[in-house]
Amino acid sequence: TFTNIKKKEEISHQHQNLSIPFFTSFLLSSHCRHFIPLFPSPMASCYGVSKLLLILLTTSIATALPVTKAVSGQINSNSVLVALLDSHYTELAELVEKALLLQTLEEAVGRHNITIFAPRNDALERNLDPLFKSFLLEPRNLKSLQTLLMFHILPRRVSSPQWPSLSHHHRTLSNDHVHLTVDAPTLRLKVDSADIIRPDDVIRPDGIIHGIERLLIPRSVQEDFNSRRSLRSISAVLPEGAPEVDPRTNRLKKPPPPVPAGAPPVLPIYSAMSPGPSLAPAPAPGPGGPRHHFNGEAQVKDFIHTLLHYGGYNEMADILVNLTSLATEMGRLVSEGYVLTVLAPNDEAMAKLTTDQLSEPGAPEQIVYYHIIPEYQTEESMYNAVRRFGKVKYDSLRFPHKVLAQEADGSVKFGHGEGSAYLFDPDIYTDGRISVQGIDGVLFPVEETPATEIKPAAPVFKKVAKSRRGKLMEVACKMMGSRFTSCQ
């Protein structure tokens, strides 16, 4: 019946759940009397058998029981990791997800409290070197990214009241060490060389988050980045010419001294420009020249984006990018160390250009060349110059034409007469290498006045002078009359 079956199940369940002390005592009591003849003393024999059976029983139970693996503790909604993912440190939380560190941090939180030094978003978004950020986000550099992030986490809880007054080493999850100090004059907390700008920003039962001003970079990650960057820089070797011999001394000429970083180029900008209709042929510089620390292409792209976001200069940006290759050429010039000032006509001024002015071959390039000054000028510098000198002529990339600038109505006016333009939108873009100034007209160079025409001279008549006669001949002619031909 159902009742008997239920009782049997309960009995079997009770046998399975026998407690170990009861089961052990049962075995010892049943087997102890069988081993008494083997030992001289009943108490000693029973004690030895009990000890032997206890060891065997413990080994068998440990072998028979299933092996239970350690499971990481469950993360509740009040955990410091949840607070980090939901906090205003969005850039750091995004890097943690990309580095696949959530499981590792969950296990760390399950074992002990943690302290997280979270850089502010600006430190990771704007102040971080773009090359270093791209290096961290490459899939092959996942280990470096994980080391960098775990360098910001301590496997213990350190709140601001517990901050050591003297320098103290703390081991991080990356097995590196950081120094926790207090700046004596300002009493500001510091971790390595970074200031704590938000102490105890997020507090949870299993951890704490401090906001720091910038990213902490361990030495191993920095060395890895430097080694990869150096390999990239020597991957293409620039060709070098053969050594030259001085014909006067028959000795090798000494190489020129190295150009310091940031020094202006030795050659004029016209020698570095690409060959064009109005320029002498010259080799165009490459982006990896001796001054490769200038990223001209990125700067030109940045100022074109600024023109588009500023509004009203779409036609100028279209000419630089689509109609011509001037954007690429300007990027190469800036990479070589040259500086440029662009006088950008707005869309209303560009709409007034006629088809004849743009139909000739190379006309868009020549128009833009005349609006580029190979100097770095701002609205303030140009206005001060015209206020002091009255009229100033700036060189342009359309050699040999110059751009005339003068003061008018409290501003700067470029050009001559009806073809002039005023400085309309000053300092649209200024980064120290490229300056963009908005003007309200398109400039054209003044046509060279032809040489002064020479008026045709009156016809010259040749006047033949009569030969003069001597006095003796005149007296003879008077006496003899005009009968002789010589006297006529």
Side-chain angles (χ1 to χ4, degrees), residues 328-358:
T328 304
E329 184 177 356
M330 291 173 63
R332 291 174 177 174
L333 291 175
V334 175
S335 296
E336 284 295 307
Y338 297 97
V339 293
L340 302 173
T341 298
V342 182
L343 304 177
N346 55 20
D347 291 344
E348 296 180 3
M350 299 294 287
K352 297 178 183 178
L353 292 176
T354 61
T355 307
D356 297 337
Q357 292 173 330
L358 296 173

Side-chain angles (χ1 to χ4, degrees), residues 110-180:
R111 289 192 297 267
H112 36 59
N113 270 226
I114 63 174
T115 301
I116 301 176
F117 301 106
R120 54 191 178 91
N121 287 338
D122 290 343
L124 296 174
E125 191 175 28
R126 298 187 183 92
N127 301 339
L128 193 62
D129 185 7
L131 294 178
F132 184 71
K133 188 173 184 179
S134 61
F135 162 79
L136 292 176
L137 297 180
E138 290 180 3
R140 61 176 181 174
N141 300 326
L142 180 62
K143 187 66 175 178
S144 298
L145 179 59
Q146 293 176 344
T147 303
L148 176 76
L149 295 177
M150 290 192 294
F151 186 70
H152 292 73
I153 303 174
L154 301 181
R156 57 173 298 181
R157 187 186 188 94
V158 180
S159 59
S160 57
Q162 300 171 343
W163 214 267
S165 58
L166 299 177
S167 178
H168 192 70
H169 299 269
H170 285 273
R171 187 180 60 84
T172 63
L173 290 183
S174 63
N175 291 326
D176 296 314
H177 290 81
V178 293
H179 304 270
L180 304 184

Side-chain angles (χ1 to χ4, degrees), residues 386-466:
V386 297
R387 281 289 303 272
R388 181 178 182 182
F389 301 107
K391 293 183 179 181
V392 179
K393 289 186 177 182
Y394 294 105
D395 292 330
S396 69
L397 295 190
R398 188 173 177 178
F399 185 79
H401 300 287
K402 297 179 181 290
V403 179
L404 176 65
Q406 56 188 332
E407 182 190 6
D409 301 330
S411 181
V412 182
K413 184 178 76 171
F414 301 95
H416 306 77
E418 298 180 356
S420 60
Y422 285 85
L423 184 58
F424 191 69
D425 290 321
D427 297 340
I428 297 177
Y429 180 86
T430 52
D431 65 350
R433 313 296 306 173
I434 301 176
S435 172
V436 181
Q437 309 293 328
I439 58 177
D440 60 354
V442 181
L443 303 176
F444 290 94
V446 179
E447 299 295 335
E448 295 182 357
T449 57
T452 306
E453 296 181 356
I454 302 175
K455 296 182 180 180
V460 180
F461 297 98
K462 187 176 181 180
K463 185 176 180 180
V464 181
K466 294 183 178 180

